[in-house]
Amino acid sequence: MGDRWHVEVDRSLCIGSAQCLHHAPDGFRLDSARQSHPVAPDTDANERVLEAAESCPVEAITITLGDSGEPVFPPEE
């Protein structure tokens, strides 16, 4: 069985660039304020969701392992 992720968008950082939608159209939606939110905050590990987080120009998307809370993105330095 694969990893489960918890995906969050820091709405105080989100600028509505929609890069997340470009990379993972099934994983994110923009609300009426043009801010992103994950469709399913708890989801199976998914390369497209990771690409979305990596492409966010303001690094508003964080991904952690669902069971341990260990960071997936951004990685710990």
Side-chain angles (χ1 to χ4, degrees):
M1 192 157 134
D3 288 334
R4 294 280 296 166
W5 286 351
H6 180 74
V7 181
E8 292 184 17
V9 176
D10 184 336
R11 296 170 62 82
S12 70
L13 294 176
C14 180
I15 60 171
S17 73
Q19 288 299 307
C20 54
L21 290 168
H22 173 74
H23 290 280
D26 295 333
F28 295 90
R29 294 284 180 264
L30 293 183
D31 63 18
S32 61
R34 290 202 42 85
Q35 289 194 309
S36 178
H37 60 92
V39 172
D42 297 308
T43 187
D44 290 331
N46 179 316
E47 189 65 31
R48 295 187 79 169
V49 170
L50 180 58
E51 289 172 2
E54 291 172 338
S55 73
C56 180
V58 294
E59 296 185 355
I61 302 170
T62 58
I63 304 170
T64 55
L65 290 177
D67 58 350
S68 68
E70 181 180 338
V72 173
F73 186 85
E76 287 184 326
E77 307 249 349

